[in-house]
Amino acid sequence: MRVFVKAGRGDGLQVVAALEGDAKPERFLPVAALRDRELGRLAAGAGFRGAANETVLLPRGPQWVLVVGLGKSKDLSLERLRQFAGTASRAARSRGFRRVVLPVLYDRALGPASGVAQVLVEGALLGLYRYDRFRRLPKHERGKRVDALTIVVGRSSEVGEARRGAEKGQILAESVSFARDLINGPSNVVTPTVLANEARALARRHRLSCTVMPFARLKRLGFGGVVGVAQGSAHPAQFIVLDYRPSRAKRTFALCGKGITFDSGGISLKPAEKMEQMKYDMSGAAAVLGAVQAAARLRLPSRIVGIIAATENLPSGTAQKPGDVLKTLSGKTVEVINTDAEGRLVLADCLQYAKRYKPDCVVDLATLTGACVVALGGEAIGLFTKDEKLAARLNEAGKLTHERVWRLPLWDEYAPLIKSDVADVKNAGGREGGAITAAKFLEEFAGGLPWVHLDIAGTAWVDKDKPYVPKGAVGVGIRLLIQLMERWR
Ligand code: BES
Ligand code: MN
Ligand code: ZN
C-alpha cells in the first residue's frame, strides 16, 4: 500500500468525518471542503446521524464523498479515529474505490497531527487486512483493493510532522499484519521451522542477529520444558533468538513468546470443538517477531532480544504423559499434571534463557489460559507482575494503544496450588484461579528478573469483524510493546 501525506486535497474517495448530535461535520472537514453545508443536509436527508462507524456515500458534483460517523464529541479519542479510518477504508473498498483520502482531524482531545496521522494509517491499513492465501475471494470482494491512502492536513507547515506519524503508523500496521499472517496461517503451513525461517528472514532484512536451536540441540542443552512438549511431534521444535542491537543501546529488553504452532492438548487431548482455532497458540511468538521487526524499522534506541519457543503440542507414542517429571533449563523439576498446560513449560525455558542478557525488563506474551478468557473476555490482556512501576507503564501503554491490560494478582497465597509431591513444582493448579496459577508457575522461573507476564488468550483472536480487526488473528501486543519500549526513561 502506498501512503501519501498532503496539504489541501488528495486524489481518490474523499472521506469526511461527522460527529453525532451537534451535526457539524464542517468542523472536521479538510480545508478545501470546509463549510460544505450542503453535504451535511444530504447526509441528514439520507438518515445519517453520525453514530460511531456509521457510513453514507454521497455524490458531490463529479465526485463521491464518504461520510463516516465519529460518535459523540465527548467520546472523541485516538481510538475512535483508528476505528473511523478502518471503517472508512473498508467501506471504500467494498464499494470498489482504489484510492482513499482521509482528513487529519483537529481537536484538543486528539493532540498533534503526527499522532492523528499515525492512528489513521494504523486503522486504515489494519482494517483493510485480509488473509487470502488459500482462497479465491468471493464474488462481491473480487478485484476490489485499495492501493493508495492519502492523509490530508490543513496547513502545509504540518505535512512533515504528519508524514512522520504516518510512517510510524505504516510500520506498526505492517508489523501487525505480518504477525496476523503467521497466526492465521494453518499449522500444517506455519510450522516451527517456518517460524524459524521467518525470524532468519527478518534478521537478514533488518540486520539483526538470529540464532536457532533445533530439537536435537535443545535436548543436549537441557531445555527440558521445550523438549517435553515437543517430543510428541513429528515437526522438530525450534528455539529462536532474534537480537536487535543498536550501537550505544541504553537498555535491554527481552521479549519471550509462546510459539505453540498447534495445541491439541497432547495426551490430555482437548475436545474437538473449536480445536481448529488452536493454530493461534503461537500468537505470543508472532507478537515478538512483529515487535522486533517494528523496533528495528523504527530504530528504537534499545537492545531487544526476542526469545521464542516454537513447537507443536501433539499426542503420539513419544509424547510426554501426565505424571512425567521433567527438568527445565533452570534446573527446577516439573511434574506434568496436564499435558495441555504446555505453554508454561516452554516459557519456563524462555525465561531462564532471558537471564543471560541481564535485561532491564522482560515481557512474556502467551495465549496461556482458557481461564483468562473466562475472566477478562476479549477486551483486556491479563497482566501479572509484582513490579508496580512496570504495571503502571504497561497500563499507560495499553491506554494509548487501546491494547488494554488488566492486572490480576500474583499473590504468594496462590503458590501452594502448584506445589508437587514429586517435583519442585507442578504444571497445573486445578480450575480455581487458572490464569493466576499459570502466572505463579512462570514466576518460579523468572526469579530475579524485572518481569511481567501478559496472558493474551482472550485478545489474540476475534470471531467477529471489528472496525480495524477483521475476524481471525488480531496481532495483539505489538503496538503495546513498542509503546512501552520507546517511552522508557
Ligand atoms: N493454549 C491454551 C490456552 C487457551 C485456551 C488459549 C483457549 C486460547 C483459548 C493452553 O495451552 C491451555 O490449554 N491451557 C489450559 C491449562 C490447564 C490444562 C491447566 C487451560 O486453560 O485449560
Ligand atoms: Mn494447552
Ligand atoms: Zn496452549
Side-chain angles (χ1 to χ4, degrees), residues 15-82:
V15 178
V16 165
L19 287 166
E20 185 175 348
D22 44 344
K24 283 193 212 120
E26 65 270 22
R27 201 175 138 204
F28 285 131
L29 294 179
V31 252
L34 256 173
R35 278 181 290 279
D36 188 344
R37 300 205 163 276
E38 177 62 12
L39 190 66
R41 268 194 292 276
L42 280 171
F48 179 87
R49 292 174 39 253
N53 301 310
E54 189 183 357
T55 63
V56 62
L57 184 67
L58 298 167
R60 210 66 197 101
Q63 277 212 323
W64 289 95
V65 172
L66 180 71
V67 186
V68 179
L70 274 182
K72 299 213 165 71
S73 74
K74 68 169 173 55
D75 298 330
L76 206 51
S77 64
L78 290 175
E79 170 61 11
R80 266 288 152 78
L81 293 197
R82 285 188 197 95

Side-chain angles (χ1 to χ4, degrees), residues 232-345:
S233 168
H235 289 295
Q238 309 284 334
F239 195 88
I240 304 163
V241 182
L242 190 58
D243 193 350
Y244 164 64
R245 195 174 193 180
S247 52
R248 291 186 295 280
K250 296 186 200 125
R251 289 165 286 270
T252 299
F253 295 97
L255 307 178
C256 300
K258 172 179 174 183
I260 304 297
T261 56
F262 187 76
D263 182 11
S264 72
I267 295 293
S268 313
L269 193 63
K270 287 181 182 297
E273 194 177 346
K274 285 210 185 172
M275 202 205 271
E276 75 283 0
Q277 284 192 357
M278 276 301 122
K279 65 179 183 178
Y280 91 82
D281 213 19
M282 36 62 75
S283 293
V288 170
L289 291 176
V292 175
Q293 168 182 8
R297 290 183 64 189
L298 293 167
R299 299 191 199 292
L300 259 55
S302 303
R303 182 180 191 188
I304 300 170
V305 188
I307 301 170
I308 290 166
T311 173
E312 301 181 316
N313 184 26
L314 288 181
S316 79
T318 60
Q320 68 175 345
K321 302 172 291 294
D324 285 4
V325 173
L326 41 84
K327 188 167 179 189
T328 60
L329 187 62
S330 69
K332 284 195 189 199
T333 56
V334 180
E335 181 187 8
V336 178
I337 298 295
N338 190 319
T339 65
D340 197 11
E342 84 297 340
R344 62 199 78 182
L345 297 177

Side-chain angles (χ1 to χ4, degrees), residues 252-255 358-363 390 394 450-452 484 488:
T252 299
F253 295 97
L255 307 178
K358 305 205 181 325
D360 297 281
C361 169
V362 181
V363 184
L390 201 44
L394 274 148
W451 160 77
V452 56
L484 172 77
W488 196 281

Side-chain angles (χ1 to χ4, degrees), residues 5-246:
V5 177
K6 286 187 181 158
R9 230 179 147 73
D11 240 8
L13 174 65
Q14 308 291 318
V15 178
V16 165
L19 287 166
E20 185 175 348
D22 44 344
K24 283 193 212 120
E26 65 270 22
R27 201 175 138 204
F28 285 131
L29 294 179
V31 252
L34 256 173
R35 278 181 290 279
D36 188 344
R37 300 205 163 276
E38 177 62 12
L39 190 66
R41 268 194 292 276
L42 280 171
F48 179 87
R49 292 174 39 253
N53 301 310
E54 189 183 357
T55 63
V56 62
L57 184 67
L58 298 167
R60 210 66 197 101
Q63 277 212 323
W64 289 95
V65 172
L66 180 71
V67 186
V68 179
L70 274 182
K72 299 213 165 71
S73 74
K74 68 169 173 55
D75 298 330
L76 206 51
S77 64
L78 290 175
E79 170 61 11
R80 266 288 152 78
L81 293 197
R82 285 188 197 95
Q83 295 187 12
F84 159 76
T87 299
S89 50
R90 282 153 69 96
R93 180 176 66 191
S94 73
R95 290 166 165 98
F97 292 94
R98 298 181 72 92
R99 305 167 69 87
V100 180
V101 183
L102 295 175
V104 163
L105 307 175
Y106 298 92
D107 189 282
R108 241 191 314 160
L110 302 176
S114 56
V116 172
Q118 179 189 328
V119 298
L120 289 176
V121 174
E122 284 177 17
L125 268 47
L126 291 173
L128 291 170
Y129 173 87
R130 268 190 306 217
Y131 186 72
D132 319 324
R133 186 165 156 191
F134 296 110
R135 65 165 189 169
R136 188 151 178 246
L137 284 175
K139 256 215 195 83
H140 64 279
E141 290 181 66
R142 210 169 292 158
K144 293 176 179 171
R145 53 171 277 140
V146 172
D147 45 32
L149 171 68
T150 304
I151 306 293
V152 171
V153 291
R155 287 186 292 271
S156 51
S157 61
E158 288 172 331
V159 168
E161 190 198 332
R163 197 166 276 155
R164 275 191 299 282
E167 264 163 33
K168 186 169 169 192
Q170 185 168 11
I171 288 172
L172 289 168
E174 286 172 359
S175 303
V176 172
S177 300
F178 164 82
R180 286 180 181 175
D181 278 345
L182 291 175
I183 298 163
N184 285 323
S187 73
N188 61 329
V189 172
V190 183
T191 59
T193 309
V194 165
L195 287 183
N197 288 340
E198 290 292 340
R200 291 187 181 103
L202 284 181
R204 273 193 300 277
R205 223 171 306 137
H206 303 293
R207 298 215 241 115
L208 320 168
S209 69
C210 180
T211 311
V212 176
M213 289 176 266
F215 184 71
R217 190 124 166 256
L218 298 173
K219 242 167 138 171
R220 252 188 296 121
L221 295 177
F223 287 67
V226 183
V227 167
V229 175
Q231 69 191 30
S233 168
H235 289 295
Q238 309 284 334
F239 195 88
I240 304 163
V241 182
L242 190 58
D243 193 350
Y244 164 64
R245 195 174 193 180

